[in-house]
């Protein structure tokens, strides 16, 4: 259990056998924790790690309420039931060189991070544009790793858009039609588009 940014926690889950969940980058799983620290409620979360044989799984979760606030209290060796994987939100369904546009709001970056990690590990050099909206710089999860991915993926363009950080020198304000039109002006209309974030952001 590790901090991953403002009000965010990173959970790394491993198996005491040789078997681990088989999944595609971008998929999600329902988690149920068996711990004295948290109630046994089932909740869905995107898998943040990239698929590797027998490797641990990683989930980065935003603390937004009473239940998620208790995730910080989980202990090593607490058990977890994983139901999944689920979802068709992944890059492997696309042609190998198809351009990708990713639009993320806050913790909605997690399935895209799984895809970016996977593409970096497989030396995927297609054109990728990531537009990522957060409240402040403190809300950007795993910033050092994102910078490393930007180095590994030579054709990745990452644009941060912050809504509550007046000192930020980059893009500010909410993502809307005019801002996206400007930020995506050099992207192909035939690019595959992945959108994940708060309901209102995705609706707009």
């Amino acid at each position: 259990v590790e901090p991953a940014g403002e009000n965010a926690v990173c959970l790394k889950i491993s198996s005491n056998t040789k078997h681990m969940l088989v999944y595609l980058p971008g998929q999600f799983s329902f988690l149920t924790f068996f711990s004295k620290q948290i109630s046994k409620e089932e909740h869905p979360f995107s898998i943040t790690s990239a698929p590797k044989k027998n490797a641990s799984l990683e989930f980065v979760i935003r603390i937004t309420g009473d239940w998620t606030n208790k995730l910080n209290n989980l202990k090593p060796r607490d058990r977890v039931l994983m139901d999944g994987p689920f979802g068709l939100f992944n890059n492997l369904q696309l042609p190998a060189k198809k351009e990708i546009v990713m639009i993320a709001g806050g913790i909605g970056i997690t399935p895209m991070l799984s895809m970016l990690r996977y593409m970096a590990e497989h030396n995927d050099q297609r054109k990728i544009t990531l537009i990522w909206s957060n409240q402040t710089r403190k809300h950007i999860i795993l910033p050092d790793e994102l910078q490393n991915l930007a180095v590994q993926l030579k054709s990745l363009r990452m644009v941060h858009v912050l809504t509550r950080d007046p000192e930020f020198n980059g893009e500010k304000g909410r993502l809307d039609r005019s801002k996206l039109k400007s930020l995506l002006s050099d992207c192909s209309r035939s690019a595959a588009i992945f959108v994940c974030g708060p309901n209102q952001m995705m609706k707009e």
Side-chain angles (χ1 to χ4, degrees):
V1 181
E2 301 172 351
E6 188 78 1
N7 298 325
V9 61
C10 177
L11 303 180
K12 295 183 178 179
I13 300 173
S14 60
S15 174
N16 57 5
T17 72
K18 292 183 179 180
H19 303 288
M20 182 50 88
L21 190 72
V22 177
Y23 63 98
L24 300 175
Q27 290 191 301
F28 69 94
S29 177
F30 287 90
L31 302 184
T32 305
F33 295 98
F34 296 85
S35 169
K36 295 179 180 179
Q37 316 302 324
I38 196 168
S39 62
K40 296 182 182 65
E41 299 175 22
E42 184 181 63
H43 290 265
F45 296 106
S46 294
I47 304 169
T48 315
S49 49
K52 286 184 183 179
K53 188 175 181 180
N54 299 329
S56 62
L57 271 71
E58 185 176 294
F59 295 82
V60 178
I61 300 169
R62 181 76 75 198
I63 297 170
T64 57
D66 292 342
W67 190 86
T68 51
N69 191 52
K70 296 176 182 176
L71 292 173
N72 277 312
N73 300 326
L74 290 170
K75 305 296 183 185
R77 297 190 178 275
D78 280 345
R79 292 184 302 122
V80 58
L81 171 67
M82 294 185 291
D83 181 17
F86 299 103
L88 300 175
F89 194 88
N90 71 83
N91 59 294
L92 296 185
Q93 63 182 322
L94 304 174
K97 295 185 179 180
K98 189 173 183 66
E99 180 181 346
I100 292 176
V101 171
M102 298 177 170
I103 303 171
I107 203 67
I109 190 66
T110 51
M112 300 176 196
L113 180 54
S114 176
M115 288 189 273
L116 291 171
R117 285 171 162 176
Y118 183 89
M119 287 189 280
E121 290 170 4
H122 290 79
N123 195 32
D124 192 322
Q125 295 303 322
R126 80 180 81 198
K127 183 179 179 181
I128 308 166
T129 301
L130 170 62
I131 311 296
W132 188 11
S133 174
N134 279 285
Q135 293 181 20
T136 70
R137 279 166 282 188
K138 291 182 179 179
H139 288 83
I140 298 173
I141 65 165
L142 308 177
D144 293 340
E145 181 177 356
L146 265 297
Q147 287 302 318
N148 290 335
L149 286 173
V151 172
Q152 291 175 272
L153 293 165
K154 306 295 184 185
S155 298
L156 169 64
R157 179 172 70 100
M158 185 174 2
V159 180
H160 291 286
V161 182
L162 302 184
T163 60
R164 299 182 185 178
D165 196 334
E167 304 301 320
F168 181 57
N169 291 325
E171 293 287 341
K172 292 190 283 285
R174 296 196 176 278
L175 283 178
D176 55 23
R177 185 183 182 90
S178 61
K179 191 180 292 292
L180 282 175
K181 185 176 181 179
S182 172
L183 294 176
L184 300 178
S185 60
D186 66 339
C187 296
S188 169
R189 286 183 174 271
S190 64
I193 301 176
F194 294 92
V195 182
C196 188
N199 290 336
Q200 190 60 34
M201 187 210 84
M202 291 195 292
K203 180 181 177 181
E204 291 179 9

